[in-house]
Amino acid sequence: IMDSSQSSSDENDALINDLPSAMFWDVMQIKKWQGFWFEPGLIKCAMKFNSSFDAKHDDVLLASSPKTGTTWLKALCLCILHQNHNIPENEDLLTKDNPQYHVQTIESSIYSTKPTPDLYGTSSPKLFHTHLPFSFLPDSIKNTSCKIVCVARNPKDTLVSLWHFFNSIFRANQEPYPLEKAVEEFCRGVHQYGPYFENVLSYWLESRKRPEKILFLKYEEMIKDPKGEVKKLALFLGKPIENEEDLEKVVWRCSLDRLRNLEVNKNGSVIYGVPNGSYFRKGMVGDWKNYLNSEMEDRINQTTLIKFQGSGLEF
Ligand code: A3P
């Protein structure tokens, strides 16, 4: 006799099995579910999240398409929500572990290589993250006053960052994956959590309808005016930072240079099967210019124009 969760899990396996398939970078099978591409294990977790996550009004969800500034946003929200700004420099949470560990990506928790708190069981307020598009969120998140902070980034820089990241994971001692192919797959949306365009747009449109619920940040604006954006973020989260010195502290603590050089991010520790250090690269706006030729640039620009047309979203 099977219990009902077992039979629904078997039904989900059968459903996932029948979904359209593609190979990502010749190494990872991905499947298309409700308009987006994922590896099958993630779909199961996304289903569980959607059907059984019970958000409380004081929970905070961070949302982002991969490689758009997730790690940075996780670090910042951690400092704003869970830390006294006067904590000594070498004792803050970021020195203990990678932001990816402190703020879990809910649908990836099964891949975590370390024991992590159960987001379905722990008490509120919870700070957690998802790469899933808005439409995938459980009703308890959509319909309570639980806040959402989204970060998004220029598609060309996102693609270049994605390309480096997957090269480091899938092709460590090989030639990089052909960039033209990566661009094409990105534009067609056939990649983990893709299409990027619809994923980002889902939060953008919702943030325009409900600005009190969803704060939409842009990576480029955070780079340009980190203190201003952190101030805005802290205010939105209900933990305003008035003091200039505290603002500077948060910005510095979460800066790429500091995080990259912390022992915990250098010594080979791993989360989600990925070395902690691989979340930190250049953090530059416009790095795409060093990689994309004019055909690739046009291909992404054209796609962006079509997808974001009329939405008011620009990078
Ligand atoms: P680049 O590959 O362009 O350098 P994600 O965290 O969503 O995976 O995004 C990774 C990108 O954010 C990488 O971009 C990485 O270098 C950059 N990044 C990571 N931590 C950062 C920080 N603290 N400040 C600014 N950028 C950061």
Side-chain angles (χ1 to χ4, degrees), residues 241-255:
I241 308 177
E242 309 294 351
N243 177 324
E244 189 74 5
E245 210 180 301
D246 287 345
L247 269 180
E248 272 162 23
K249 248 188 240 172
V250 172
V251 168
W252 171 78
R253 274 192 214 281
C254 299
S255 65

Side-chain angles (χ1 to χ4, degrees), residues 166-227:
F166 284 119
N167 275 324
S168 75
I169 294 171
F170 292 150
R171 304 170 71 94
N173 298 310
Q174 301 168 47
E175 290 280 290
Y177 189 72
L179 189 52
E180 314 72 62
K181 279 175 83 176
V183 167
E184 190 51 36
E185 288 162 6
F186 183 75
C187 288
R188 289 194 293 115
V190 188
H191 56 92
Q192 181 85 293
Y193 295 102
Y196 151 93
F197 301 95
E198 277 79 0
N199 195 330
V200 171
L201 211 50
S202 72
Y203 286 95
W204 168 251
L205 295 176
E206 201 58 34
S207 75
R208 299 195 91 190
K209 277 189 241 161
R210 293 198 280 171
E212 71 296 339
K213 181 175 177 71
I214 306 189
L215 178 68
F216 190 94
L217 299 173
K218 289 183 183 168
Y219 187 88
E220 293 72 22
E221 286 170 9
M222 290 164 67
I223 292 278
K224 198 159 100 193
D225 178 19
K227 273 196 286 177

Side-chain angles (χ1 to χ4, degrees), residues 97-305:
D97 215 317
N98 188 281
Q100 298 284 352
Y101 173 79
H102 289 298
V103 185
Q104 299 276 310
T105 295
I106 190 157
E107 71 279 4
S108 305
S109 314
I110 47 154
Y111 299 109
S112 175
T113 34
K114 286 183 211 170
T116 50
D118 176 11
L119 286 167
Y120 291 84
T122 49
S123 56
S124 289
K126 289 191 270 284
L127 171 63
F128 63 111
H129 168 263
T130 188
H131 285 308
L132 297 167
F134 185 80
S135 56
F136 287 60
L137 302 183
D139 288 344
S140 67
I141 293 185
K142 290 182 184 158
N143 302 337
T144 56
S145 52
C146 151
K147 287 188 174 165
I148 302 177
V149 181
C150 171
V151 63
R153 186 182 193 185
N154 174 306
K156 296 192 284 289
D157 282 334
T158 303
L159 175 272
V160 166
S161 183
L162 205 71
W163 182 70
H164 279 102
F165 183 73
F166 284 119
N167 275 324
S168 75
I169 294 171
F170 292 150
R171 304 170 71 94
N173 298 310
Q174 301 168 47
E175 290 280 290
Y177 189 72
L179 189 52
E180 314 72 62
K181 279 175 83 176
V183 167
E184 190 51 36
E185 288 162 6
F186 183 75
C187 288
R188 289 194 293 115
V190 188
H191 56 92
Q192 181 85 293
Y193 295 102
Y196 151 93
F197 301 95
E198 277 79 0
N199 195 330
V200 171
L201 211 50
S202 72
Y203 286 95
W204 168 251
L205 295 176
E206 201 58 34
S207 75
R208 299 195 91 190
K209 277 189 241 161
R210 293 198 280 171
E212 71 296 339
K213 181 175 177 71
I214 306 189
L215 178 68
F216 190 94
L217 299 173
K218 289 183 183 168
Y219 187 88
E220 293 72 22
E221 286 170 9
M222 290 164 67
I223 292 278
K224 198 159 100 193
D225 178 19
K227 273 196 286 177
E229 293 301 289
V230 168
K231 195 168 178 179
K232 186 160 80 178
L233 174 61
L235 191 65
F236 178 79
L237 293 174
K239 297 267 185 182
I241 308 177
E242 309 294 351
N243 177 324
E244 189 74 5
E245 210 180 301
D246 287 345
L247 269 180
E248 272 162 23
K249 248 188 240 172
V250 172
V251 168
W252 171 78
R253 274 192 214 281
C254 299
S255 65
L256 181 58
D257 274 343
R258 173 171 188 255
L259 296 184
R260 191 208 324 267
N261 290 311
L262 289 176
E263 215 37 54
V264 70
N265 295 320
K266 288 200 297 189
N267 65 9
S269 347
V270 165
I271 180 142
Y272 307 139
V274 173
N276 282 355
S278 50
Y279 290 102
F280 311 104
R281 198 181 61 95
K282 259 193 206 168
M284 213 182 113
V285 173
D287 190 37
W288 63 267
K289 292 180 188 132
N290 297 316
Y291 296 92
L292 304 184
N293 64 28
S294 59
E295 286 88 56
M296 298 172 189
E297 182 189 346
D298 286 349
R299 177 77 175 100
I300 302 184
N301 284 350
Q302 284 304 320
T303 310
T304 309
L305 204 67

